[in-house]
mmCIF file of all heavy atoms in Angstrom:
data_model
loop_
_atom_site.group_PDB
_atom_site.id
_atom_site.type_symbol
_atom_site.label_atom_id
_atom_site.label_comp_id
_atom_site.label_asym_id
_atom_site.label_seq_id
_atom_site.Cartn_x
_atom_site.Cartn_y
_atom_site.Cartn_z
ATOM 1 N N SER A 58 89.192 86.817 79.754
ATOM 2 C CA SER A 58 89.069 86.636 81.196
ATOM 3 C C SER A 58 87.600 86.762 81.598
ATOM 4 O O SER A 58 86.879 87.620 81.076
ATOM 5 C CB SER A 58 89.910 87.716 81.897
ATOM 6 O OG SER A 58 89.611 87.739 83.257
ATOM 7 N N THR A 68 92.262 91.551 80.448
ATOM 8 C CA THR A 68 92.873 92.075 81.679
ATOM 9 C C THR A 68 94.319 92.444 81.403
ATOM 10 O O THR A 68 95.104 91.631 80.914
ATOM 11 C CB THR A 68 92.787 91.032 82.813
ATOM 12 O OG1 THR A 68 91.411 90.657 82.989
ATOM 13 C CG2 THR A 68 93.309 91.603 84.119
ATOM 14 N N GLY A 73 104.365 96.440 89.120
ATOM 15 C CA GLY A 73 104.722 97.325 90.227
ATOM 16 C C GLY A 73 103.585 97.464 91.214
ATOM 17 O O GLY A 73 102.445 97.743 90.835
ATOM 18 N N ARG A 77 103.300 94.552 99.906
ATOM 19 C CA ARG A 77 104.011 93.276 99.910
ATOM 20 C C ARG A 77 103.206 92.279 100.733
ATOM 21 O O ARG A 77 103.648 91.808 101.792
ATOM 22 C CB ARG A 77 105.429 93.448 100.509
ATOM 23 C CG ARG A 77 106.394 94.188 99.610
ATOM 24 C CD ARG A 77 106.716 93.399 98.332
ATOM 25 N NE ARG A 77 107.610 94.125 97.436
ATOM 26 C CZ ARG A 77 107.197 94.973 96.497
ATOM 27 N NH1 ARG A 77 105.914 95.207 96.313
ATOM 28 N NH2 ARG A 77 108.073 95.567 95.712
ATOM 29 N N GLU A 104 120.543 69.489 81.863
ATOM 30 C CA GLU A 104 119.851 70.727 82.244
ATOM 31 C C GLU A 104 119.698 71.625 81.019
ATOM 32 O O GLU A 104 120.631 71.798 80.246
ATOM 33 C CB GLU A 104 120.649 71.479 83.315
ATOM 34 C CG GLU A 104 120.597 70.823 84.671
ATOM 35 C CD GLU A 104 121.152 71.719 85.762
ATOM 36 O OE1 GLU A 104 121.812 72.724 85.437
ATOM 37 O OE2 GLU A 104 120.919 71.396 86.935
ATOM 38 N N PHE A 105 118.507 72.159 80.871
ATOM 39 C CA PHE A 105 118.249 73.105 79.779
ATOM 40 C C PHE A 105 117.864 74.434 80.417
ATOM 41 O O PHE A 105 116.838 74.522 81.089
ATOM 42 C CB PHE A 105 117.092 72.601 78.899
ATOM 43 C CG PHE A 105 117.357 71.260 78.291
ATOM 44 C CD1 PHE A 105 117.036 70.097 78.987
ATOM 45 C CD2 PHE A 105 117.945 71.157 77.043
ATOM 46 C CE1 PHE A 105 117.279 68.853 78.440
ATOM 47 C CE2 PHE A 105 118.188 69.909 76.480
ATOM 48 C CZ PHE A 105 117.860 68.749 77.177
ATOM 49 N N LYS A 126 91.466 94.188 69.852
ATOM 50 C CA LYS A 126 91.275 92.918 69.130
ATOM 51 C C LYS A 126 89.986 92.226 69.564
ATOM 52 O O LYS A 126 89.412 91.432 68.833
ATOM 53 C CB LYS A 126 92.442 91.963 69.439
ATOM 54 C CG LYS A 126 93.713 92.255 68.673
ATOM 55 C CD LYS A 126 94.787 91.260 69.086
ATOM 56 C CE LYS A 126 96.118 91.627 68.421
ATOM 57 N NZ LYS A 126 97.232 90.839 68.989
ATOM 58 N N PHE A 130 83.860 90.755 71.224
ATOM 59 C CA PHE A 130 83.478 89.915 72.375
ATOM 60 C C PHE A 130 82.938 90.768 73.524
ATOM 61 O O PHE A 130 82.038 90.351 74.248
ATOM 62 C CB PHE A 130 84.680 89.084 72.846
ATOM 63 C CG PHE A 130 85.197 88.152 71.795
ATOM 64 C CD1 PHE A 130 86.374 88.424 71.128
ATOM 65 C CD2 PHE A 130 84.469 87.026 71.447
ATOM 66 C CE1 PHE A 130 86.833 87.573 70.138
ATOM 67 C CE2 PHE A 130 84.919 86.168 70.463
ATOM 68 C CZ PHE A 130 86.113 86.443 69.795
ATOM 69 N N VAL A 150 99.268 108.140 85.345
ATOM 70 C CA VAL A 150 99.228 108.870 84.069
ATOM 71 C C VAL A 150 98.998 107.894 82.917
ATOM 72 O O VAL A 150 98.149 108.125 82.039
ATOM 73 C CB VAL A 150 100.534 109.683 83.870
ATOM 74 C CG1 VAL A 150 100.505 110.414 82.535
ATOM 75 C CG2 VAL A 150 100.729 110.660 85.019
ATOM 76 N N ARG A 158 91.305 106.395 76.342
ATOM 77 C CA ARG A 158 91.185 105.821 74.995
ATOM 78 C C ARG A 158 90.099 104.740 74.943
ATOM 79 O O ARG A 158 89.405 104.600 73.942
ATOM 80 C CB ARG A 158 92.519 105.227 74.567
ATOM 81 C CG ARG A 158 93.582 106.286 74.331
ATOM 82 C CD ARG A 158 94.645 105.663 73.490
ATOM 83 N NE ARG A 158 95.847 106.442 73.462
ATOM 84 C CZ ARG A 158 96.854 106.191 72.632
ATOM 85 N NH1 ARG A 158 96.787 105.171 71.808
ATOM 86 N NH2 ARG A 158 97.924 106.921 72.632
ATOM 87 N N VAL A 168 88.830 98.955 87.059
ATOM 88 C CA VAL A 168 90.155 99.058 87.675
ATOM 89 C C VAL A 168 90.166 98.158 88.905
ATOM 90 O O VAL A 168 89.335 98.307 89.804
ATOM 91 C CB VAL A 168 90.480 100.524 88.059
ATOM 92 C CG1 VAL A 168 91.761 100.585 88.889
ATOM 93 C CG2 VAL A 168 90.615 101.390 86.811
ATOM 94 N N ASP A 199 97.308 97.887 112.425
ATOM 95 C CA ASP A 199 98.508 97.139 112.844
ATOM 96 C C ASP A 199 98.661 95.847 112.032
ATOM 97 O O ASP A 199 99.760 95.498 111.596
ATOM 98 C CB ASP A 199 98.430 96.769 114.333
ATOM 99 C CG ASP A 199 98.661 97.987 115.212
ATOM 100 O OD1 ASP A 199 99.007 99.051 114.658
ATOM 101 O OD2 ASP A 199 98.468 97.865 116.433
ATOM 102 N N ILE A 212 94.164 103.624 102.126
ATOM 103 C CA ILE A 212 93.284 102.719 101.376
ATOM 104 C C ILE A 212 91.817 102.957 101.745
ATOM 105 O O ILE A 212 90.940 103.061 100.874
ATOM 106 C CB ILE A 212 93.686 101.253 101.655
ATOM 107 C CG1 ILE A 212 95.051 100.968 101.023
ATOM 108 C CG2 ILE A 212 92.625 100.269 101.167
ATOM 109 C CD1 ILE A 212 95.695 99.658 101.445
ATOM 110 N N LYS A 224 80.357 105.484 92.327
ATOM 111 C CA LYS A 224 80.801 104.436 91.397
ATOM 112 C C LYS A 224 80.363 103.051 91.860
ATOM 113 O O LYS A 224 80.202 102.806 93.059
ATOM 114 C CB LYS A 224 82.328 104.451 91.298
ATOM 115 C CG LYS A 224 82.845 105.598 90.473
ATOM 116 C CD LYS A 224 82.550 105.406 89.007
ATOM 117 C CE LYS A 224 82.572 106.736 88.280
ATOM 118 N NZ LYS A 224 82.464 106.593 86.830
ATOM 119 N N GLU A 225 80.215 102.152 90.895
ATOM 120 C CA GLU A 225 79.947 100.760 91.238
ATOM 121 C C GLU A 225 81.242 100.135 91.772
ATOM 122 O O GLU A 225 82.320 100.305 91.173
ATOM 123 C CB GLU A 225 79.478 99.984 90.003
ATOM 124 C CG GLU A 225 79.158 98.532 90.336
ATOM 125 C CD GLU A 225 78.824 97.679 89.116
ATOM 126 O OE1 GLU A 225 78.708 98.226 88.000
ATOM 127 O OE2 GLU A 225 78.716 96.456 89.304
ATOM 128 N N ARG A 229 86.684 92.901 97.069
ATOM 129 C CA ARG A 229 87.341 91.586 97.001
ATOM 130 C C ARG A 229 88.128 91.359 98.288
ATOM 131 O O ARG A 229 88.986 92.170 98.644
ATOM 132 C CB ARG A 229 88.289 91.528 95.803
ATOM 133 C CG ARG A 229 87.549 91.657 94.496
ATOM 134 C CD ARG A 229 88.483 91.573 93.312
ATOM 135 N NE ARG A 229 87.957 90.646 92.337
ATOM 136 C CZ ARG A 229 88.542 90.346 91.188
ATOM 137 N NH1 ARG A 229 89.707 90.856 90.881
ATOM 138 N NH2 ARG A 229 87.984 89.516 90.341
ATOM 139 N N ASP A 238 91.018 85.795 107.901
ATOM 140 C CA ASP A 238 89.736 85.115 108.152
ATOM 141 C C ASP A 238 89.366 85.050 109.637
ATOM 142 O O ASP A 238 88.475 84.287 110.007
ATOM 143 C CB ASP A 238 89.745 83.702 107.544
ATOM 144 C CG ASP A 238 90.570 82.707 108.364
ATOM 145 O OD1 ASP A 238 91.404 83.151 109.190
ATOM 146 O OD2 ASP A 238 90.389 81.490 108.178
ATOM 147 N N THR A 239 90.025 85.842 110.493
ATOM 148 C CA THR A 239 89.627 85.824 111.905
ATOM 149 C C THR A 239 88.260 86.496 112.040
ATOM 150 O O THR A 239 87.906 87.393 111.254
ATOM 151 C CB THR A 239 90.647 86.582 112.775
ATOM 152 O OG1 THR A 239 90.644 87.954 112.389
ATOM 153 C CG2 THR A 239 92.050 86.014 112.614
ATOM 154 N N ILE A 295 81.972 81.746 105.756
ATOM 155 C CA ILE A 295 82.249 83.196 105.703
ATOM 156 C C ILE A 295 81.296 83.871 104.710
ATOM 157 O O ILE A 295 80.827 84.984 104.938
ATOM 158 C CB ILE A 295 83.733 83.438 105.338
ATOM 159 C CG1 ILE A 295 84.614 82.931 106.482
ATOM 160 C CG2 ILE A 295 84.004 84.909 105.065
ATOM 161 C CD1 ILE A 295 86.086 82.830 106.153
ATOM 162 N N ASP A 297 78.245 82.981 104.192
ATOM 163 C CA ASP A 297 76.982 83.130 104.923
ATOM 164 C C ASP A 297 77.033 84.343 105.856
ATOM 165 O O ASP A 297 76.049 85.073 105.994
ATOM 166 C CB ASP A 297 76.677 81.872 105.743
ATOM 167 C CG ASP A 297 76.311 80.698 104.841
ATOM 168 O OD1 ASP A 297 75.939 80.955 103.681
ATOM 169 O OD2 ASP A 297 76.417 79.548 105.294
ATOM 170 N N GLY A 309 85.187 83.365 94.961
ATOM 171 C CA GLY A 309 85.893 83.486 93.682
ATOM 172 C C GLY A 309 85.381 84.711 92.938
ATOM 173 O O GLY A 309 84.318 85.259 93.260
#
Side-chain angles (χ1 to χ4, degrees):
S58 168
T68 304
R77 288 294 178 272
E104 287 191 346
F105 301 87
K126 281 179 185 170
F130 299 106
V150 179
R158 291 199 194 190
V168 171
D199 286 353
I212 291 169
K224 285 289 158 173
E225 181 186 353
R229 296 181 132 180
D238 76 342
T239 64
I295 293 168
D297 290 340

